[in-house]
Amino acid sequence: MTKKFVLWVHYENGEHYNDAACAIATSDSPDSHFVYHGSFNPYGYMSRDCTLFQDDDGTAYFISAARDNADLHIYRLQEDYLNVERLVGKLWQGEYREAPAVFKRNGKYYMLSSFCTGWDPNQGKYAMANSMDGPWGMLSDFGDETTYRTQPAFVLKRSEQEYLYFSDRWNGSDYFQSSYVVLPIEFNGDIPILNIYSTLSFERDANSIAGHS
């Protein structure tokens, strides 16, 4: 291991949206002095909306939208996290999913994603698997018909049973007025449920989240 913080991002050149690549940077600190290592298309595939997931054993995965957003690809990373090791799978081909967010709970893997509707929100979906290698299940609804006007960004594990959904709330008419929304993910058995709350309160021991409508 390199003992460095490794950053993966979606890369475009600032002039058009056709590069559809990923880029990598590393640093000794999570908030400064990142060293840029360049951009590339993993195995020649397009790569747009993306996320990273680190499993319990340290194995890391890069998930990104490919084929003009028609597919989601899962790549296992090399041990140093600086390149892809292999393409694990092509998920929901032709379904046009973006904004992936992955988490693990009670041995099951969950992936949240959004349909491609530009800056307008849509019905979020989730899918489950027993392994990052799959097979992944069918896409099922998550939240309401606009996912409470949000799009997945990432999921933060607060404790073994508490997970927070971090999301973007885009303002298509003025991007600089876009904001973030944080909501608790609740569960009915293994089924993730997203409800809307106006405020949240947290206990210090990370074992309690209270939502207020």
Side-chain angles (χ1 to χ4, degrees):
M1 293 295 185
T2 63
K3 303 299 183 181
K4 291 183 179 291
F5 293 89
V6 183
L7 175 70
W8 285 65
V9 297
H10 172 197
Y11 173 86
E12 299 292 349
N13 61 24
E15 297 178 1
H16 53 69
Y17 202 62
N18 298 328
D19 282 11
C22 59
I24 302 173
T26 60
S27 175
D28 293 325
S29 169
D31 57 1
S32 65
H33 299 100
F34 273 84
V35 176
Y36 180 63
H37 296 283
S39 63
F40 68 102
N41 294 94
Y43 298 117
Y45 290 110
M46 302 173 82
S47 178
R48 287 187 173 141
D49 275 18
C50 57
T51 193
L52 290 173
F53 172 74
Q54 185 184 51
D55 211 340
D56 299 334
D57 63 0
T59 304
Y61 298 85
F62 177 67
I63 301 96
S64 70
R67 201 162 65 90
D68 279 320
N69 294 357
D71 308 340
L72 278 177
H73 286 186
I74 298 181
Y75 304 92
R76 180 178 294 170
L77 299 189
Q78 293 180 350
E79 188 176 356
D80 61 7
Y81 300 170
L82 296 179
N83 205 340
V84 293
E85 181 177 272
R86 71 180 180 91
L87 175 61
V88 171
K90 302 177 181 180
L91 306 185
W92 311 300
Q93 296 181 62
E95 291 290 336
Y96 288 89
R97 309 306 301 175
E98 63 179 5
V102 179
F103 66 97
K104 183 179 182 181
R105 175 181 180 268
N106 292 346
K108 293 187 180 295
Y109 298 82
Y110 295 78
M111 187 180 301
L112 312 179
S113 62
S114 170
F115 187 56
C116 296
T117 53
W119 300 108
D120 297 323
N122 57 72
Q123 173 70 69
K125 302 279 188 178
Y126 77 91
M128 298 167 55
N130 292 321
S131 165
M132 285 296 291
D133 289 7
W136 286 84
M138 298 291 292
L139 293 164
S140 301
D141 289 352
F142 180 73
D144 71 356
E145 64 274 8
T146 64
T147 325
Y148 305 114
R149 297 189 296 116
T150 70
Q151 186 180 54
F154 68 96
V155 174
L156 176 67
K157 178 181 177 180
R158 190 164 180 262
S159 72
E160 288 300 323
Q161 297 301 322
E162 295 187 353
Y163 298 79
L164 293 175
Y165 167 76
F166 281 74
S167 61
D168 298 295
R169 179 168 285 170
W170 297 110
N171 184 335
S173 60
D174 185 352
Y175 309 136
F176 292 101
Q177 295 301 314
S178 299
S179 59
Y180 298 103
V181 175
V182 181
L183 294 170
I185 300 177
E186 300 165 286
F187 293 89
N188 181 6
D190 290 330
I191 305 303
I193 298 170
L194 191 69
N195 292 310
I196 188 68
Y197 298 102
S198 59
T199 60
L200 295 176
S201 59
F202 301 93
E203 298 296 332
R204 287 187 177 182
D205 63 3
N207 288 318
S208 179
I209 302 175
H212 306 278
S213 301

